[in-house]
Amino acid sequence: MLALGAMSGEERKEIEAFIETLPDPSGARRFLDKLEDLQRARAVAGDSLLLSRLLTIAAYSPFLAETLLRHPEYIDWLKRESGRDLGRTKSVEQLSEDLARFSATMIESDERARLAGFKRRELLRIYLRDCLGIATLSEVTEELSSLADVILTDALSQAYREAVNRHGAPQSRDERGRIVPSEFGIVALGKLGCRELNYASDIDLLFLYSGKGETAGENRRPESVIDNKAFFTDVARRIVQMIGGNLGDGPVYRIDLRLRPYGRDGDLVWEVGRAADYYRGQAQNWERQALIRARASAGSDAVVARFLDSLRDAIFQPEALPNTLSEVRRAKEKIDRKAASRTGGFNVKLGPGGIREIEFIAQALQLAHGGQEPWVRSAQTLIVLARLAEKGYLSEAERSRLSSAYTFLRTVEHRLQMEQGVQTHSLPLARELLEVVARRSGYQTARDPVADFCRDVETHTANVRAVYNRVFVEEASVEKIEDEPRERADRTAREMDDETERLIGQAAAALARVKAPRPDDKPPPPGGATGVEPVIAEALAPVIDPIRSLRNFIAWAESLATYDFSRLHAQGHTFSKLLSDGLPTFLKRLMPVMGSQYVSHILISRPMLADVLAETGTRRTKSDLLRLMRGAIEEAGGVASKTDCLRRMWYRLILEISHRDLAGGRETTPGASADRLRENNQEQTALAEVSLDLALEIALESLGLRGLPPSALPFAIMGLGRLGHTGMDYGSDLDLLVIFDEKAGWPPPALEEWAQGEAARGPGSPQEFYARLTAQLVRALSAVTREGFLYRIDLRLRPDGKSGPTAPSLGGLLSYLESRASAWEHSAYLKAREVAGDPEFGARARMAICDSVFEAAARNETLRQDLSAMRARLEKEKARGSRQNIKWGRGGMTDVYFVTRYLQLRDRVYFPPERGTTRLIEHLGEGGHLDSVSTRVLLEGYVFLRRLDHWLRLLLDRPGPDLPASQVALREVTRAMGFASAEEFEQAYARHTSAVRGVYEKVMGE
């Protein structure tokens, strides 16, 4: 090999050793030989990092290796890119800037050649990140989608400019008859629409324009005037020509326009209102299903938003049609019939259990439930699966298996496509070719890569098929999916015992499949798997529901069995020891935890986290939590890595908290239970505050301000709701308000030396800066990554809600509170408490907010009537007349909130030093604002309802404000709360809610 011949002996050994670790060593060597012919090998050989990355690309993609050989200038570019942070995911803005710089070097080139060249160059960097494991699947597909958006935007700009030069700008008239510019938007559908584009995907597009009219005429020449439809048709055709036209290397992207109204027979471009009318009245269900993943890709966001906003109810109907699932299933069966006629190996996209089935499962459940549950309307598959599981439409085990299968199959699909840069989804039949695919998919160290790879293909597709059949074949699954059949409530004790015994056997078998090795000097448990069964049975003694715990345990053990325990044992991993030496103790700690759906969801998808249960531990202070979480992210390289590290540690800590919660067993006395709940709420609140602090540091780093302490900036993040009242619980949202001090001067000293480069665009106005910071903060806390997400963020309590600025000034907030805020908003803002940012400014802001709220309330002569009307509205809209709604229903927690907030506003009562509703009730009683009987009633009723809410969140698969309809679930909650029977619980519930409503009517009816 000539290229290696020019190197020293030591260099040659190192390169040869590295090549042998690659999935296709022969392909890497061929590339190195060709590189020598280009007189590039000697220069590259002096940069071992660059050479290793070039060889990696060649071993994973002959297509990209050929790109490097045909365009050796890309090697120099890749060297520069590698010298930067290869771990970063480029944003649309960064890619746009890169395209502008690239275009400046190709002024002489054809538009198509310029865009195709830029795409090929960026694919080198994206695929290198992919193959090195630097980027997750979601990051890869998002960056590929952003790349397509940037190229579409560039093509649109060019096409629009050319059309305006010929015909003048397009115009239309608004509702008041004024002449306004007519705009054009490109809707992305399919994989581009959900930001999950493949390396070789088609891009599904729909072209829209804002309104009828005509152009202004080029240089006012009447003959150049055309109507808007003709103008935008001209623009669309030029875009298709530039991007979809065939060069020697093929099109930049293959464009598919068949999803437009009437398909191939429809107009190329559509006026927004006319297109919306089609989808509302004439489109078939599969066409509306396609709009689930629609978004603006290029052009006017407003045009696309207007189109999609007008169709939300048509896509997600309040009541799902009874044939929703069957129609989706028939559409899939039609695809199956076409796929069956194809030859070749297994099709990872269209085959049974393939990618398309996962997408159809997600979309069908979205169509069935998205009308009533907006949370599940996301477009991205992994996020949709997570949200469907959160809301109970998938079990956590199903979500975990579908997500794993999706990630696995999409990765394989990418490896197939990047072999030659073509759109293919089928595995090769020849064993030698299949082995290369397997090695590129992560099996290069396996003894038999093909066997291991094929086994995992079968496992993943079988898992997908099982969920697909459950959703589509068992038609009754339109309703919410329960982990346990409802008929369990009517089973006899003997049947329950039989089921428990059967599940214990399954649990023992699942544990045996984990195959955790034991030290040589320790004998195995007697009787193999059977010997474990008594240990499992003993561990079940204190649990609330043995059957639920066993089922979750089995799913956890199956997930755990995918790990290589021989290697973990050799490394002395804690987990290996737990499953060998300390199994009885470990199971006694694990089984009670598995009775919680909240905790089991975490453990099934992250089975190794169960090593947290090795020690029970004591409650941690806020400083303990900060030390642990900061230590977890200190060594991380970039923003994405720190975000993942933050999530990993958060899940460990929330598992610790929940374990201590559940290890305490069933409740005994209400007083002790209230103290235990309060401690739990305080620890969860501290965890949320620490997470917020660190996420804020990550957000600042993402803006180019690494190392800047948030306290150095004149702003504060105020916690509202449960965060403001130190009452965080499992699954609680973070209600936040970001405010800044407009009197501090801008920019503040901390920003004066902000580096002016690619990482920062300068601070802008304070409102702009803090809006950008807030957006990054929300991303750090709420974005769903491979490690999950931390909290849902609610910013809607800011002035003017969604229409108001993301980050108002304190002065603007106070002005709003004093002049425009409602009584309901005044009551909500009372909870505002500084939780991050500048603590001194936050404390001043808290007092200023309280004072402004009190002043406004004092001027409101209809305060009580306003709050009573709002309470009645919430009861009607949220509880819908049900007394089973523990939050919004009659006598629920909201009654307590309205009574206490009204008394605070009426009598100007500040919060006591210790926050919390129970302490506030006591404070109101001590101050004479509430009589002693009412104080006792509210305390007892609120503690009862909060305990109930806490156990619903912890135990059930889909926590909500309503009492569970399932008698099984209700029985579990009542046991946890210490009641002897459901009847006793129901009597207590009726007594407390009636008494609370009595106090509410007494106070608010005065």
Side-chain angles (χ1 to χ4, degrees), residues 229-267:
K229 181 179 178 181
F231 177 90
F232 288 119
T233 298
D234 195 16
V235 170
R237 284 176 178 155
R238 181 73 175 106
I239 292 170
V240 173
Q241 179 188 25
M242 272 191 280
I243 293 179
N246 208 342
L247 294 165
D249 292 333
V252 184
Y253 291 101
R254 288 178 300 276
I255 295 179
D256 192 335
L257 301 171
R258 290 174 296 174
L259 288 176
R260 67 184 188 266
Y262 301 109
R264 291 189 178 95
D265 297 327
D267 293 335

mmCIF file of all heavy atoms in Angstrom, residues 229-267:
data_model
loop_
_atom_site.group_PDB
_atom_site.id
_atom_site.type_symbol
_atom_site.label_atom_id
_atom_site.label_comp_id
_atom_site.label_asym_id
_atom_site.label_seq_id
_atom_site.Cartn_x
_atom_site.Cartn_y
_atom_site.Cartn_z
ATOM 1 N N LYS A 229 -51.303 33.607 -8.771
ATOM 2 C CA LYS A 229 -51.196 32.160 -8.940
ATOM 3 C C LYS A 229 -50.151 31.838 -10.005
ATOM 4 O O LYS A 229 -49.306 30.938 -9.811
ATOM 5 C CB LYS A 229 -52.546 31.566 -9.322
ATOM 6 C CG LYS A 229 -52.509 30.055 -9.497
ATOM 7 C CD LYS A 229 -53.875 29.496 -9.864
ATOM 8 C CE LYS A 229 -53.790 27.992 -10.081
ATOM 9 N NZ LYS A 229 -55.109 27.417 -10.476
ATOM 10 N N ALA A 230 -50.183 32.559 -11.117
ATOM 11 C CA ALA A 230 -49.203 32.329 -12.173
ATOM 12 C C ALA A 230 -47.797 32.673 -11.680
ATOM 13 O O ALA A 230 -46.814 31.970 -11.983
ATOM 14 C CB ALA A 230 -49.555 33.146 -13.410
ATOM 15 N N PHE A 231 -47.690 33.760 -10.908
ATOM 16 C CA PHE A 231 -46.382 34.168 -10.391
ATOM 17 C C PHE A 231 -45.793 33.077 -9.504
ATOM 18 O O PHE A 231 -44.628 32.674 -9.672
ATOM 19 C CB PHE A 231 -46.536 35.474 -9.601
ATOM 20 C CG PHE A 231 -45.266 35.952 -8.954
ATOM 21 C CD1 PHE A 231 -44.400 36.797 -9.623
ATOM 22 C CD2 PHE A 231 -44.930 35.551 -7.667
ATOM 23 C CE1 PHE A 231 -43.219 37.240 -9.025
ATOM 24 C CE2 PHE A 231 -43.761 35.978 -7.060
ATOM 25 C CZ PHE A 231 -42.905 36.823 -7.745
ATOM 26 N N PHE A 232 -46.581 32.602 -8.547
ATOM 27 C CA PHE A 232 -46.043 31.628 -7.602
ATOM 28 C C PHE A 232 -45.885 30.236 -8.226
ATOM 29 O O PHE A 232 -45.051 29.460 -7.785
ATOM 30 C CB PHE A 232 -46.912 31.578 -6.355
ATOM 31 C CG PHE A 232 -46.769 32.801 -5.485
ATOM 32 C CD1 PHE A 232 -47.854 33.620 -5.219
ATOM 33 C CD2 PHE A 232 -45.532 33.151 -4.959
ATOM 34 C CE1 PHE A 232 -47.720 34.752 -4.425
ATOM 35 C CE2 PHE A 232 -45.389 34.284 -4.159
ATOM 36 C CZ PHE A 232 -46.483 35.086 -3.904
ATOM 37 N N THR A 233 -46.680 29.967 -9.260
ATOM 38 C CA THR A 233 -46.452 28.724 -10.001
ATOM 39 C C THR A 233 -45.091 28.764 -10.683
ATOM 40 O O THR A 233 -44.345 27.773 -10.692
ATOM 41 C CB THR A 233 -47.566 28.511 -11.049
ATOM 42 O OG1 THR A 233 -48.820 28.388 -10.378
ATOM 43 C CG2 THR A 233 -47.305 27.255 -11.872
ATOM 44 N N ASP A 234 -44.754 29.931 -11.224
ATOM 45 C CA ASP A 234 -43.447 30.124 -11.839
ATOM 46 C C ASP A 234 -42.332 29.924 -10.812
ATOM 47 O O ASP A 234 -41.317 29.265 -11.063
ATOM 48 C CB ASP A 234 -43.395 31.543 -12.424
ATOM 49 C CG ASP A 234 -42.241 31.718 -13.394
ATOM 50 O OD1 ASP A 234 -41.676 30.709 -13.850
ATOM 51 O OD2 ASP A 234 -41.896 32.887 -13.694
ATOM 52 N N VAL A 235 -42.527 30.485 -9.607
ATOM 53 C CA VAL A 235 -41.535 30.338 -8.537
ATOM 54 C C VAL A 235 -41.381 28.868 -8.158
ATOM 55 O O VAL A 235 -40.263 28.353 -8.021
ATOM 56 C CB VAL A 235 -41.949 31.175 -7.301
ATOM 57 C CG1 VAL A 235 -41.056 30.848 -6.102
ATOM 58 C CG2 VAL A 235 -41.878 32.662 -7.617
ATOM 59 N N ALA A 236 -42.511 28.181 -7.983
ATOM 60 C CA ALA A 236 -42.468 26.776 -7.563
ATOM 61 C C ALA A 236 -41.773 25.910 -8.610
ATOM 62 O O ALA A 236 -40.973 25.027 -8.265
ATOM 63 C CB ALA A 236 -43.881 26.267 -7.297
ATOM 64 N N ARG A 237 -42.072 26.146 -9.874
ATOM 65 C CA ARG A 237 -41.428 25.346 -10.934
ATOM 66 C C ARG A 237 -39.916 25.559 -10.944
ATOM 67 O O ARG A 237 -39.157 24.631 -11.166
ATOM 68 C CB ARG A 237 -42.030 25.714 -12.291
ATOM 69 C CG ARG A 237 -43.401 25.113 -12.522
ATOM 70 C CD ARG A 237 -43.996 25.575 -13.834
ATOM 71 N NE ARG A 237 -45.291 24.935 -14.061
ATOM 72 C CZ ARG A 237 -46.253 25.450 -14.813
ATOM 73 N NH1 ARG A 237 -46.060 26.627 -15.418
ATOM 74 N NH2 ARG A 237 -47.399 24.816 -14.964
ATOM 75 N N ARG A 238 -39.503 26.791 -10.694
ATOM 76 C CA ARG A 238 -38.062 27.078 -10.676
ATOM 77 C C ARG A 238 -37.398 26.373 -9.492
ATOM 78 O O ARG A 238 -36.282 25.859 -9.607
ATOM 79 C CB ARG A 238 -37.853 28.595 -10.580
ATOM 80 C CG ARG A 238 -36.397 29.009 -10.579
ATOM 81 C CD ARG A 238 -35.761 28.858 -11.948
ATOM 82 N NE ARG A 238 -34.405 29.362 -11.937
ATOM 83 C CZ ARG A 238 -33.307 28.602 -11.958
ATOM 84 N NH1 ARG A 238 -33.418 27.269 -12.040
ATOM 85 N NH2 ARG A 238 -32.108 29.136 -11.939
ATOM 86 N N ILE A 239 -38.078 26.332 -8.341
ATOM 87 C CA ILE A 239 -37.534 25.625 -7.179
ATOM 88 C C ILE A 239 -37.377 24.141 -7.494
ATOM 89 O O ILE A 239 -36.340 23.528 -7.208
ATOM 90 C CB ILE A 239 -38.455 25.818 -5.953
ATOM 91 C CG1 ILE A 239 -38.422 27.274 -5.491
ATOM 92 C CG2 ILE A 239 -38.038 24.897 -4.804
ATOM 93 C CD1 ILE A 239 -39.472 27.604 -4.446
ATOM 94 N N VAL A 240 -38.413 23.576 -8.078
ATOM 95 C CA VAL A 240 -38.359 22.145 -8.429
ATOM 96 C C VAL A 240 -37.238 21.883 -9.420
ATOM 97 O O VAL A 240 -36.522 20.876 -9.327
ATOM 98 C CB VAL A 240 -39.720 21.683 -8.992
ATOM 99 C CG1 VAL A 240 -39.624 20.252 -9.519
ATOM 100 C CG2 VAL A 240 -40.796 21.772 -7.919
ATOM 101 N N GLN A 241 -37.053 22.807 -10.359
ATOM 102 C CA GLN A 241 -35.982 22.648 -11.354
ATOM 103 C C GLN A 241 -34.609 22.706 -10.690
ATOM 104 O O GLN A 241 -33.731 21.896 -10.975
ATOM 105 C CB GLN A 241 -36.113 23.748 -12.407
ATOM 106 C CG GLN A 241 -35.033 23.688 -13.484
ATOM 107 C CD GLN A 241 -35.085 24.906 -14.406
ATOM 108 O OE1 GLN A 241 -35.564 25.967 -14.017
ATOM 109 N NE2 GLN A 241 -34.587 24.742 -15.619
ATOM 110 N N MET A 242 -34.424 23.671 -9.785
ATOM 111 C CA MET A 242 -33.121 23.823 -9.136
ATOM 112 C C MET A 242 -32.793 22.648 -8.223
ATOM 113 O O MET A 242 -31.669 22.157 -8.199
ATOM 114 C CB MET A 242 -33.099 25.126 -8.314
ATOM 115 C CG MET A 242 -32.667 26.349 -9.087
ATOM 116 S SD MET A 242 -32.355 27.756 -7.982
ATOM 117 C CE MET A 242 -34.021 28.326 -7.707
ATOM 118 N N ILE A 243 -33.767 22.198 -7.449
ATOM 119 C CA ILE A 243 -33.495 21.178 -6.435
ATOM 120 C C ILE A 243 -33.771 19.773 -6.948
ATOM 121 O O ILE A 243 -33.027 18.833 -6.649
ATOM 122 C CB ILE A 243 -34.320 21.469 -5.166
ATOM 123 C CG1 ILE A 243 -33.827 22.755 -4.527
ATOM 124 C CG2 ILE A 243 -34.236 20.315 -4.178
ATOM 125 C CD1 ILE A 243 -34.573 23.153 -3.280
ATOM 126 N N GLY A 244 -34.824 19.627 -7.711
ATOM 127 C CA GLY A 244 -35.191 18.296 -8.175
ATOM 128 C C GLY A 244 -34.667 17.935 -9.542
ATOM 129 O O GLY A 244 -34.785 16.788 -9.978
ATOM 130 N N GLY A 245 -34.067 18.917 -10.253
ATOM 131 C CA GLY A 245 -33.537 18.638 -11.575
ATOM 132 C C GLY A 245 -32.359 17.684 -11.535
ATOM 133 O O GLY A 245 -31.594 17.662 -10.568
ATOM 134 N N ASN A 246 -32.211 16.903 -12.567
ATOM 135 C CA ASN A 246 -31.188 15.854 -12.585
ATOM 136 C C ASN A 246 -29.881 16.363 -13.153
ATOM 137 O O ASN A 246 -29.797 16.813 -14.287
ATOM 138 C CB ASN A 246 -31.672 14.666 -13.427
ATOM 139 C CG ASN A 246 -31.049 13.365 -12.959
ATOM 140 O OD1 ASN A 246 -30.036 13.385 -12.265
ATOM 141 N ND2 ASN A 246 -31.655 12.264 -13.336
ATOM 142 N N LEU A 247 -28.848 16.342 -12.319
ATOM 143 C CA LEU A 247 -27.491 16.630 -12.777
ATOM 144 C C LEU A 247 -26.789 15.316 -13.064
ATOM 145 O O LEU A 247 -27.372 14.240 -12.954
ATOM 146 C CB LEU A 247 -26.735 17.393 -11.687
ATOM 147 C CG LEU A 247 -27.230 18.810 -11.356
ATOM 148 C CD1 LEU A 247 -26.621 19.259 -10.052
ATOM 149 C CD2 LEU A 247 -26.847 19.756 -12.466
ATOM 150 N N GLY A 248 -25.507 15.408 -13.348
ATOM 151 C CA GLY A 248 -24.747 14.177 -13.537
ATOM 152 C C GLY A 248 -24.732 13.336 -12.278
ATOM 153 O O GLY A 248 -24.732 12.106 -12.330
ATOM 154 N N ASP A 249 -24.752 13.993 -11.102
ATOM 155 C CA ASP A 249 -24.756 13.285 -9.823
ATOM 156 C C ASP A 249 -26.151 13.088 -9.271
ATOM 157 O O ASP A 249 -26.318 12.681 -8.125
ATOM 158 C CB ASP A 249 -23.925 14.061 -8.791
ATOM 159 C CG ASP A 249 -22.445 14.063 -9.145
ATOM 160 O OD1 ASP A 249 -22.016 13.114 -9.820
ATOM 161 O OD2 ASP A 249 -21.741 15.009 -8.755
ATOM 162 N N GLY A 250 -27.186 13.376 -10.065
ATOM 163 C CA GLY A 250 -28.548 13.253 -9.576
ATOM 164 C C GLY A 250 -29.040 14.564 -8.995
ATOM 165 O O GLY A 250 -28.311 15.552 -8.910
ATOM 166 N N PRO A 251 -30.316 14.625 -8.578
ATOM 167 C CA PRO A 251 -30.880 15.862 -8.038
ATOM 168 C C PRO A 251 -30.309 16.183 -6.664
ATOM 169 O O PRO A 251 -29.763 15.314 -5.982
ATOM 170 C CB PRO A 251 -32.376 15.552 -7.955
ATOM 171 C CG PRO A 251 -32.431 14.070 -7.776
ATOM 172 C CD PRO A 251 -31.281 13.509 -8.574
ATOM 173 N N VAL A 252 -30.450 17.433 -6.257
ATOM 174 C CA VAL A 252 -30.076 17.801 -4.889
ATOM 175 C C VAL A 252 -30.967 17.017 -3.930
ATOM 176 O O VAL A 252 -30.492 16.377 -2.984
ATOM 177 C CB VAL A 252 -30.239 19.315 -4.656
ATOM 178 C CG1 VAL A 252 -29.761 19.690 -3.256
ATOM 179 C CG2 VAL A 252 -29.495 20.103 -5.719
ATOM 180 N N TYR A 253 -32.266 17.084 -4.154
ATOM 181 C CA TYR A 253 -33.251 16.243 -3.462
ATOM 182 C C TYR A 253 -34.294 15.810 -4.474
ATOM 183 O O TYR A 253 -34.644 16.577 -5.384
ATOM 184 C CB TYR A 253 -33.975 17.020 -2.344
ATOM 185 C CG TYR A 253 -33.125 17.374 -1.158
ATOM 186 C CD1 TYR A 253 -32.615 18.660 -1.019
ATOM 187 C CD2 TYR A 253 -32.857 16.445 -0.158
ATOM 188 C CE1 TYR A 253 -31.839 19.015 0.076
ATOM 189 C CE2 TYR A 253 -32.080 16.780 0.937
ATOM 190 C CZ TYR A 253 -31.567 18.059 1.049
ATOM 191 O OH TYR A 253 -30.801 18.399 2.130
ATOM 192 N N ARG A 254 -34.816 14.606 -4.290
ATOM 193 C CA ARG A 254 -35.999 14.216 -5.059
ATOM 194 C C ARG A 254 -37.203 14.860 -4.376
ATOM 195 O O ARG A 254 -37.422 14.672 -3.173
ATOM 196 C CB ARG A 254 -36.158 12.695 -5.091
ATOM 197 C CG ARG A 254 -35.133 11.994 -5.971
ATOM 198 C CD ARG A 254 -35.312 10.484 -5.910
ATOM 199 N NE ARG A 254 -35.156 10.006 -4.540
ATOM 200 C CZ ARG A 254 -33.976 9.738 -3.977
ATOM 201 N NH1 ARG A 254 -32.863 9.910 -4.661
ATOM 202 N NH2 ARG A 254 -33.914 9.330 -2.721
ATOM 203 N N ILE A 255 -37.987 15.614 -5.133
ATOM 204 C CA ILE A 255 -39.138 16.321 -4.576
ATOM 205 C C ILE A 255 -40.408 15.558 -4.910
ATOM 206 O O ILE A 255 -40.648 15.200 -6.069
ATOM 207 C CB ILE A 255 -39.215 17.755 -5.126
ATOM 208 C CG1 ILE A 255 -38.010 18.566 -4.646
ATOM 209 C CG2 ILE A 255 -40.506 18.437 -4.686
ATOM 210 C CD1 ILE A 255 -37.990 19.994 -5.151
ATOM 211 N N ASP A 256 -41.219 15.306 -3.881
ATOM 212 C CA ASP A 256 -42.487 14.597 -4.053
ATOM 213 C C ASP A 256 -43.606 15.579 -3.746
ATOM 214 O O ASP A 256 -43.722 16.078 -2.625
ATOM 215 C CB ASP A 256 -42.551 13.398 -3.095
ATOM 216 C CG ASP A 256 -43.709 12.458 -3.441
ATOM 217 O OD1 ASP A 256 -44.688 12.919 -4.049
ATOM 218 O OD2 ASP A 256 -43.636 11.265 -3.073
ATOM 219 N N LEU A 257 -44.425 15.870 -4.766
ATOM 220 C CA LEU A 257 -45.520 16.826 -4.617
ATOM 221 C C LEU A 257 -46.883 16.145 -4.644
ATOM 222 O O LEU A 257 -47.917 16.804 -4.746
ATOM 223 C CB LEU A 257 -45.456 17.870 -5.739
ATOM 224 C CG LEU A 257 -44.153 18.682 -5.822
ATOM 225 C CD1 LEU A 257 -44.124 19.515 -7.092
ATOM 226 C CD2 LEU A 257 -44.007 19.570 -4.598
ATOM 227 N N ARG A 258 -46.901 14.826 -4.494
ATOM 228 C CA ARG A 258 -48.163 14.088 -4.638
ATOM 229 C C ARG A 258 -49.104 14.262 -3.451
ATOM 230 O O ARG A 258 -50.269 13.884 -3.526
ATOM 231 C CB ARG A 258 -47.868 12.602 -4.842
ATOM 232 C CG ARG A 258 -47.235 12.288 -6.188
ATOM 233 C CD ARG A 258 -46.838 10.837 -6.278
ATOM 234 N NE ARG A 258 -45.793 10.508 -5.305
ATOM 235 C CZ ARG A 258 -45.342 9.268 -5.106
ATOM 236 N NH1 ARG A 258 -45.843 8.263 -5.789
ATOM 237 N NH2 ARG A 258 -44.387 9.052 -4.216
ATOM 238 N N LEU A 259 -48.626 14.824 -2.338
ATOM 239 C CA LEU A 259 -49.499 15.024 -1.185
ATOM 240 C C LEU A 259 -50.283 16.335 -1.260
ATOM 241 O O LEU A 259 -51.031 16.662 -0.341
ATOM 242 C CB LEU A 259 -48.674 14.981 0.116
ATOM 243 C CG LEU A 259 -48.164 13.591 0.521
ATOM 244 C CD1 LEU A 259 -47.282 13.678 1.750
ATOM 245 C CD2 LEU A 259 -49.320 12.638 0.775
ATOM 246 N N ARG A 260 -50.128 17.090 -2.353
ATOM 247 C CA ARG A 260 -50.917 18.313 -2.502
ATOM 248 C C ARG A 260 -52.365 17.930 -2.836
ATOM 249 O O ARG A 260 -52.648 16.785 -3.219
ATOM 250 C CB ARG A 260 -50.333 19.187 -3.595
ATOM 251 C CG ARG A 260 -50.427 18.634 -5.022
ATOM 252 C CD ARG A 260 -49.702 19.574 -5.974
ATOM 253 N NE ARG A 260 -49.884 19.242 -7.374
ATOM 254 C CZ ARG A 260 -49.053 18.477 -8.087
ATOM 255 N NH1 ARG A 260 -47.984 17.936 -7.504
ATOM 256 N NH2 ARG A 260 -49.273 18.255 -9.371
ATOM 257 N N PRO A 261 -53.308 18.841 -2.667
ATOM 258 C CA PRO A 261 -54.707 18.531 -2.993
ATOM 259 C C PRO A 261 -54.862 17.972 -4.404
ATOM 260 O O PRO A 261 -54.304 18.501 -5.360
ATOM 261 C CB PRO A 261 -55.394 19.899 -2.849
ATOM 262 C CG PRO A 261 -54.584 20.609 -1.807
ATOM 263 C CD PRO A 261 -53.164 20.188 -2.080
ATOM 264 N N TYR A 262 -55.571 16.862 -4.499
ATOM 265 C CA TYR A 262 -55.823 16.141 -5.745
ATOM 266 C C TYR A 262 -54.573 15.487 -6.326
ATOM 267 O O TYR A 262 -54.574 15.040 -7.477
ATOM 268 C CB TYR A 262 -56.471 17.046 -6.809
ATOM 269 C CG TYR A 262 -57.772 17.647 -6.378
ATOM 270 C CD1 TYR A 262 -57.873 19.005 -6.088
ATOM 271 C CD2 TYR A 262 -58.925 16.865 -6.249
ATOM 272 C CE1 TYR A 262 -59.072 19.578 -5.684
ATOM 273 C CE2 TYR A 262 -60.133 17.438 -5.839
ATOM 274 C CZ TYR A 262 -60.196 18.784 -5.562
ATOM 275 O OH TYR A 262 -61.375 19.335 -5.153
ATOM 276 N N GLY A 263 -53.493 15.459 -5.576
ATOM 277 C CA GLY A 263 -52.303 14.744 -6.011
ATOM 278 C C GLY A 263 -51.725 15.284 -7.300
ATOM 279 O O GLY A 263 -51.616 16.496 -7.510
ATOM 280 N N ARG A 264 -51.349 14.363 -8.199
ATOM 281 C CA ARG A 264 -50.721 14.773 -9.471
ATOM 282 C C ARG A 264 -51.646 15.628 -10.323
ATOM 283 O O ARG A 264 -51.201 16.392 -11.181
ATOM 284 C CB ARG A 264 -50.303 13.538 -10.278
ATOM 285 C CG ARG A 264 -49.147 12.750 -9.683
ATOM 286 C CD ARG A 264 -48.683 11.691 -10.666
ATOM 287 N NE ARG A 264 -47.549 10.939 -10.174
ATOM 288 C CZ ARG A 264 -47.637 9.778 -9.546
ATOM 289 N NH1 ARG A 264 -48.839 9.233 -9.339
ATOM 290 N NH2 ARG A 264 -46.562 9.152 -9.121
ATOM 291 N N ASP A 265 -52.970 15.481 -10.123
ATOM 292 C CA ASP A 265 -53.921 16.239 -10.934
ATOM 293 C C ASP A 265 -54.182 17.634 -10.390
ATOM 294 O O ASP A 265 -54.855 18.439 -11.040
ATOM 295 C CB ASP A 265 -55.259 15.479 -11.002
ATOM 296 C CG ASP A 265 -55.108 14.122 -11.680
ATOM 297 O OD1 ASP A 265 -54.270 14.024 -12.595
ATOM 298 O OD2 ASP A 265 -55.814 13.177 -11.276
ATOM 299 N N GLY A 266 -53.671 17.936 -9.192
ATOM 300 C CA GLY A 266 -53.949 19.222 -8.575
ATOM 301 C C GLY A 266 -53.004 20.312 -9.032
ATOM 302 O O GLY A 266 -51.968 20.055 -9.666
ATOM 303 N N ASP A 267 -53.355 21.551 -8.708
ATOM 304 C CA ASP A 267 -52.492 22.695 -9.028
ATOM 305 C C ASP A 267 -51.162 22.562 -8.307
ATOM 306 O O ASP A 267 -51.075 21.979 -7.217
ATOM 307 C CB ASP A 267 -53.162 24.004 -8.606
ATOM 308 C CG ASP A 267 -54.400 24.313 -9.440
ATOM 309 O OD1 ASP A 267 -54.475 23.834 -10.587
ATOM 310 O OD2 ASP A 267 -55.298 25.015 -8.934
#
